[in-house]
Amino acid sequence: MNYTVITFSHEEHHIRQFLELPKHLYSRKERVQNPAEELAILKGTHVLSHYFQVYPFLVIDENETAVSRAVLTIYPEDTNACLGFFESEETEEAVCLLFQEAEQLAKAHGCTQITGPIDASFWIRYRFKTNHFEHSYTGEPYNKDYYLKLWLSAGYQIAEYYCSNHYTSIDPAHQNPQFSARLLAKQAEGYVIKSPSADSFDRTLHEVYGLLIELYRHFPAYRHITEKEFTSMYGYLKLLIRYPMVKMAYLQKQPVGFFISIPDYGNTVYDAHSLSDFLRILRVRLRPRSYVMLYMGVAPAHRGLGKAMAEVIKEELKKTGVPSVGALIRQGNVNKDYFQELIDYEFEYVLLDKHLV
């Protein structure tokens, strides 16, 4: 089979091929594509587009059928390029051509390294899933099981590991003395842990932004965004969260920690347009069968607060009687080991890079 690499900008035919490739690779149940977001990236209209320049690639076969795709993202004055929005048939020859073209372009822009998969930004989506493809949940990166092999074959190396803990439903009698004692101690020190409300959501999002941009700034591929951009991207959470499963921690009325969970909506939320999609989301929100604990953070000066917040969330989960996922924990983070006795299996993820010579 002969393959050709195409770079494009606003050609509608190639944009359509780019957007439709995942539909040929995944079943509807598996697909986590957000076509509207991808289109905004390709056309430069995404809220974060002003930070970077994107270079989309397609690999087509001799029948002009798209078999691989990716987007190279270049940030001004940054020698580390990002490669993301990667999807491909299991065709090493086509993927090799794509990588060669992307690497040549990255070097032409003065880049010395490519990191991926990163869909243009830390704030959009990054990482590959590497196990338990039979299970998925809202918010995780999902991909074909052979993607890691294709990247490793092209000379990329694993740079970071992540995991998600799957927790069983919690027996009403369950107790963990270490965590319950930590909660009592923090409450005695004056910490207040409580849920926001619909009326206070906007203020809570502002508080989370103030904490998160400092806590995540040392993460791989992190780049600063403004509060307006953050709220524009994450305001949708107001439609998805159930407030008892969101917690904010305060000391002397100052926000010092957050814990954000949502019901597991599967992949319904990624491309919801029809009335039936929204009704399905509403049904899940009213009666979740499981939860995804998406984001957690504690200001550095308040060590030990994380266990106290986890204890509060555990008590909420105990009331629901449903399982949960502690999502996308970077290797080395202490919360990876929270409530080990409740973990029945772990999802694993990786981030890769390649030094260009």
Side-chain angles (χ1 to χ4, degrees):
M1 184 71 72
N2 295 319
Y3 298 103
T4 304
V5 183
I6 295 174
T7 58
F8 62 95
S9 54
H10 297 291
E11 294 86 349
E12 291 297 329
H13 172 63
H14 295 319
I15 289 175
R16 187 165 56 253
Q17 286 182 299
F18 187 97
L19 296 177
E20 289 180 354
L21 181 56
K23 298 176 184 178
H24 301 301
L25 296 172
Y26 301 97
S27 69
R28 178 66 185 90
K29 185 178 179 180
E30 294 174 318
R31 198 161 62 244
V32 298
Q33 180 189 24
N34 185 334
E37 185 172 60
E38 291 184 1
L39 182 61
I41 289 292
L42 294 176
K43 293 197 169 185
T45 59
H46 192 276
V47 65
L48 301 183
S49 288
H50 65 99
Y51 286 114
F52 48 72
Q53 183 67 44
V54 298
Y55 300 91
F57 296 91
L58 279 172
V59 181
I60 60 172
D61 63 19
E62 55 198 24
N63 299 315
E64 297 191 359
T65 299
V67 298
S68 289
R69 69 169 215 186
V71 172
L72 181 73
T73 304
I74 305 289
Y75 284 80
E77 301 179 3
D78 192 336
T79 58
N80 188 13
C82 302
L83 191 66
F85 294 105
F86 176 83
E87 301 289 358
S88 182
E89 294 182 1
E90 193 173 4
T91 309
E92 190 170 322
E93 181 184 353
V95 173
C96 184
L97 288 173
L98 187 154
F99 282 138
Q100 288 175 359
E101 195 74 18
E103 290 164 17
Q104 289 175 7
L105 183 57
K107 287 192 284 188
H109 281 83
C111 295
T112 58
Q113 179 174 296
I114 293 180
T115 302
I118 299 174
D119 294 355
S121 172
F122 167 91
W123 300 101
I124 298 177
R125 188 178 68 162
Y126 67 107
R127 295 166 286 211
F128 275 145
K129 182 173 183 172
T130 62
N131 72 342
H132 288 301
F133 292 92
E134 72 279 10
H135 300 296
S136 61
Y137 58 87
T138 304
E140 77 161 344
Y142 192 86
N143 49 267
K144 305 301 287 186
D145 59 3
Y146 54 82
Y147 281 9
L148 176 59
K149 181 184 69 174
L150 289 174
W151 281 55
L152 293 174
S153 296
Y156 284 77
Q157 296 182 330
I158 296 173
E160 296 281 341
Y161 290 90
Y162 305 82
C163 77
S164 294
N165 296 330
H166 187 273
Y167 296 98
T168 61
S169 56
I170 305 173
D171 188 282
H174 176 272
Q175 295 291 331
N176 185 308
Q178 181 184 25
F179 282 75
S180 56
R182 181 63 57 84
L183 175 58
L184 290 173
K186 289 301 177 184
Q187 289 172 331
E189 293 172 18
Y191 289 90
V192 175
I193 301 173
K194 62 181 182 179
S195 294
S197 66
D199 290 339
S200 67
F201 176 85
D202 291 340
R203 184 178 72 248
T204 300
L205 203 58
H206 162 78
E207 293 171 340
V208 169
Y209 170 79
L211 290 166
L212 189 146
I213 59 168
E214 290 302 317
L215 293 172
Y216 285 11
R217 62 196 299 263
H218 298 297
F219 277 38
Y222 171 88
R223 287 177 174 86
H224 180 85
I225 62 175
T226 68
E227 182 177 344
K228 183 177 180 180
E229 292 160 349
F230 176 80
T231 55
S232 173
M233 294 183 67
Y234 290 95
Y236 74 92
L237 288 173
K238 189 172 187 177
L239 301 175
L240 303 182
I241 62 175
R242 299 186 82 245
Y243 288 98
M245 284 293 292
V246 177
K247 301 295 179 184
M248 292 295 299
Y250 300 89
L251 182 63
Q252 298 176 353
K253 299 185 178 181
Q254 295 300 309
V256 295
F258 60 88
F259 207 126
I260 300 175
S261 310
I262 63 171
D264 186 357
Y265 295 94
N267 66 349
T268 305
V269 298
Y270 298 113
D271 191 22
H273 294 294
S274 67
L275 177 60
S276 62
D277 288 334
F278 288 107
L279 289 175
R280 193 177 302 115
I281 289 170
L282 180 60
R283 285 196 295 270
V284 173
R285 182 180 176 180
L286 290 173
R287 189 169 292 180
R289 294 184 178 181
S290 62
Y291 279 95
V292 182
M293 295 175 280
L294 284 175
Y295 310 107
M296 176 186 176
V298 172
H302 302 271
R303 292 176 61 86
L305 181 59
K307 286 185 178 180
M309 298 190 73
E311 174 68 10
V312 174
I313 287 289
K314 187 209 75 176
E315 289 301 309
E316 294 289 354
L317 283 168
K318 192 186 289 188
K319 298 174 189 175
T320 69
V322 301
S324 61
V325 174
L328 299 169
I329 306 164
R330 187 183 179 192
Q331 187 179 53
N333 281 13
V334 294
N335 53 326
K336 177 184 182 300
D337 298 322
Y338 285 1
F339 295 110
Q340 283 281 317
E341 70 275 17
L342 299 175
I343 299 172
D344 54 356
Y345 59 90
E346 292 185 355
F347 300 92
E348 296 175 351
Y349 311 85
V350 296
L351 186 68
L352 301 99
D353 62 26
K354 182 177 183 178
H355 295 281
L356 306 178
V357 294

